[in-house]
Amino acid sequence: LVAAAVLWAVVGAQRSRWIVTASLCALAGLLRPDAFLLVLPLGAFCALQQGRATWRPLALGTALSVPWFLFAWRTFGSPLPQSAAAKVGSETIQDYGVRALRYVTCNVAYPSLQTDFSPVASWIVGGAVALAATIGGVVLVRRCHVLGSLAFYAVALMGAYIAMRPQPGIEWHLYPVLLVVAVGALAAAFLLGELMAKRTGKGALGWVAVALIATFAARTIRYAAAHDRGYWYGARDAAYKDLSRYLLEHAEPGDRIASTEVGTIAYYTDLPILDIAGLVTPESEGDAATRNERAEECRWLVDVPAYDYLYGAKRAEPPYVSFQSEPVSTVELHPSGETRFITVLVDRTEQR
């Protein structure tokens, strides 16, 4: 939805529909606050074109955006997402930057390129995608300067995340950058089709379009078919649902849960929950040691052994109840090679 709002905001600016653009920028920013980076270049284009009339879209965008931040400030104590502070500084800039660059380029060509092929192959393909995206982006900006807003947005977002250098495993947060890279690469592909059409006839451009549509349609079908058995998707969801059913049968009203992932479990059990990762619940603010101390006060501890590298959370110790998914699809494996999503549940009353 964020990606769609960003793209349509740029289309609105391209057509000088600034009220529509302001509304879409506000929507994108409410869904992902970092999408407000797009307001900077689009606002500049609006000011150049509209002059004093710029106040109208500016006022509308502000009116649509400010209420949520006021609500968040009053409810959560800050207008900025708690998750942003929790993710800062987990890695070196160099390590995160390398992984981020591979993510936003390799995934355009082949989603599991980084895990299914050698690092050399992934860098070669990623470099080719980056070159194509750069060429396509330059062509697009030369044809319509407003499209430069997308490039600014992608570069600014990428720079912000490299500066934040969050923990491994969440490079998918860069999917807006991936979107812009894909747009540039597609533009380069159609440019190639145009050049071929001049030499061989108009049919060449049509064949390029058919090839691209077929390629991405096949990827979409493959992803959809594997979704229910995907490690991060259906498999994880199934294990957490099984765990939630167990809690509904064995937990007492008011029992507190500590977990590194809280959404599914909190939704299905409706029990108080502490986010050990520090991303969501206000009482989980502070460093890992503080969060682990607060987790000790909870009756139930949910742990995922494969998440050992995340958040500095304290690992579960037996006795515990284990929940695991069916074998996951080869399309969506955990980087460690785990073939099932496994989570464990500790009842601290049995350990004390």
Side-chain angles (χ1 to χ4, degrees):
L1 188 54
V2 173
V6 165
L7 289 179
W8 280 110
V10 174
V11 171
Q14 186 182 12
R15 298 177 180 179
S16 299
R17 301 180 124 183
W18 295 109
I19 294 298
V20 173
T21 296
S23 301
L24 289 167
C25 283
L27 172 62
L30 290 173
L31 294 169
R32 268 190 64 142
D34 53 31
F36 280 122
L37 289 169
L38 186 65
V39 172
L40 298 175
L42 291 183
F45 280 113
C46 181
L48 288 173
Q49 187 180 105
Q50 298 293 102
R52 293 182 179 179
T54 302
W55 72 269
R56 293 189 181 91
L58 178 62
L60 176 62
T62 302
L64 293 174
S65 304
V66 167
W68 163 254
F69 288 101
L70 293 177
F71 170 80
W73 203 337
R74 178 171 181 175
T75 305
F76 305 112
S78 171
L80 301 177
Q82 180 178 319
S83 57
K87 295 172 183 174
V88 171
S90 298
E91 278 204 284
T92 66
I93 289 179
Q94 180 179 353
D95 288 344
Y96 181 80
V98 168
R99 272 205 324 280
L101 287 171
R102 290 181 65 190
Y103 172 82
V104 300
T105 54
C106 292
N107 278 277
V108 173
Y110 187 75
S112 33
L113 178 64
Q114 298 179 74
T115 54
D116 292 356
F117 296 91
S118 69
V120 174
S122 66
W123 275 115
I124 292 173
V125 175
V129 170
L131 178 61
T134 301
I135 294 172
V138 170
V139 171
L140 288 176
V141 173
R142 291 183 65 180
R143 294 183 179 182
C144 178
H145 294 330
V146 173
L147 296 178
S149 301
L150 276 178
F152 175 92
Y153 171 56
V155 171
L157 184 60
M158 187 77 163
Y161 268 83
I162 290 176
M164 285 175 59
R165 59 194 191 283
Q167 66 267 19
I170 60 171
E171 290 82 18
W172 61 269
H173 287 184
L174 292 169
Y175 66 83
V177 180
L178 179 64
L179 168 73
V180 177
V181 172
V183 168
L186 287 172
F190 278 99
L191 175 63
L192 177 62
E194 289 179 353
L195 296 175
M196 292 171 59
K198 290 179 180 178
R199 294 189 176 186
T200 62
K202 295 183 178 179
L205 185 58
W207 282 113
V208 170
V210 168
L212 289 172
I213 292 172
T215 299
F216 287 100
R219 281 175 52 171
T220 300
I221 293 170
R222 184 168 178 251
Y223 171 83
H227 184 274
D228 288 345
R229 295 181 296 116
Y231 186 91
W232 298 111
Y233 304 104
R236 177 168 60 166
D237 186 58
Y240 281 146
K241 284 181 178 177
D242 287 344
L243 184 148
S244 298
R245 282 189 283 270
Y246 181 92
L247 281 170
L248 287 173
E249 294 176 3
H250 295 84
E252 300 292 333
D255 278 357
R256 299 186 71 220
I257 308 166
S259 177
T260 51
E261 293 183 310
V262 300
T264 302
I265 300 168
Y267 179 82
Y268 283 104
T269 64
D270 201 28
L271 290 171
I273 194 163
L274 173 72
D275 173 20
I276 304 176
L279 303 179
V280 182
T281 53
E283 65 270 25
S284 62
E285 291 181 323
D287 58 19
T290 302
R291 295 195 295 270
N292 284 323
E293 287 179 8
R294 290 172 181 163
E296 291 286 345
E297 302 169 1
C298 299
R299 175 182 175 183
W300 303 96
L301 171 65
V302 179
D303 187 25
V304 180
Y307 290 0
D308 283 350
Y309 62 92
L310 286 179
Y311 313 120
K314 185 177 180 180
R315 303 269 61 93
E317 298 177 0
Y320 49 64
V321 183
S322 178
F323 303 86
Q324 56 183 298
S325 69
E326 296 297 319
V328 301
S329 87
T330 55
V331 177
E332 188 67 44
L333 282 174
H334 185 269
S336 67
E338 293 280 348
T339 57
R340 297 173 186 265
F341 185 88
I342 301 172
T343 182
V344 300
L345 178 66
V346 177
D347 183 352
R348 293 193 187 279
T349 60
E350 295 182 1
Q351 292 185 338
R352 290 166 182 163

